[in-house]
Amino acid sequence: MIDYQNDPQLDGKYLGTITQDFVKVAETLKEAAYQIKVRKISDHPIFIFCPQAQPLGQLLIGKEEWKEPLKWHISLSFLAEFKERQIIDEEGAALFKQNYKDIEEFACLFVIEKDFTNFIFLPYPEEE
């Protein structure tokens, strides 16, 4: 079962590298989520963080292609794709929607790593 909250099993190894990359790309992710919502593409954008290229979603930021090297490839997907690929069933989709956070404040990440695969919600850095 996929957990829809920040998972305590997400140890410092993952959280540290995810956060380092997230801070670098947060404005781009926030703008992408906003555009997806206002264009009525989806109310539930999901950013997939994976150290290797993978077939889920559409590559948004390649880890070697950003202004500075990243540790994670970042792809963009939606709840609908997760349902189509049967990663989330109908019951899981309802739970996902209940736990989904405001896209203006949080990014929904789906982290795919050999020891950890789950959703986490990270707050966007405060604008200065």
Side-chain angles (χ1 to χ4, degrees):
M1 179 83 186
I2 295 176
D3 184 9
Y4 300 101
Q5 302 297 322
N6 289 339
D7 192 317
Q9 295 177 354
L10 182 64
D11 67 28
K13 177 177 94 171
Y14 297 120
L15 193 56
T17 63
I18 291 167
T19 303
Q20 286 173 359
D21 281 3
F22 180 73
V23 168
K24 295 174 188 175
V25 301
E27 284 303 312
T28 299
L29 301 186
K30 189 173 186 178
E31 180 62 23
Y34 172 79
Q35 291 298 327
I36 288 162
K37 186 155 185 165
V38 298
R39 293 178 184 185
K40 300 190 186 309
I41 296 168
S42 175
D43 287 334
H44 304 97
I46 301 167
F47 298 103
I48 302 161
F49 275 55
C50 187
Q52 299 85 24
Q54 48 75 39
L56 185 60
Q58 178 71 38
L59 184 64
L60 183 64
I61 301 169
K63 66 182 185 180
E64 294 91 13
E65 300 163 5
W66 192 247
K67 303 167 195 166
E68 52 189 291
L70 303 172
K71 292 182 173 72
W72 301 85
H73 287 288
I74 303 167
S75 298
L76 174 60
S77 186
F78 314 100
L79 177 58
E81 181 180 12
F82 277 64
K83 287 170 60 178
E84 284 173 17
R85 291 181 175 245
Q86 299 178 343
I87 297 168
I88 297 177
D89 61 15
E90 286 301 321
E91 183 179 324
L95 185 59
F96 179 84
K97 288 177 183 180
Q98 286 176 355
N99 287 283
Y100 197 85
K101 299 189 183 308
D102 182 353
I103 67 164
E104 292 183 24
E105 296 181 32
F106 290 87
C108 175
L109 310 184
F110 187 68
V111 179
I112 302 172
E113 176 49 86
K114 63 180 178 174
D115 297 328
F116 179 87
T117 301
N118 224 330
F119 289 100
I120 61 170
F121 292 91
L122 285 182
Y124 291 111
E126 302 255 342
E127 295 181 21
E128 296 178 10

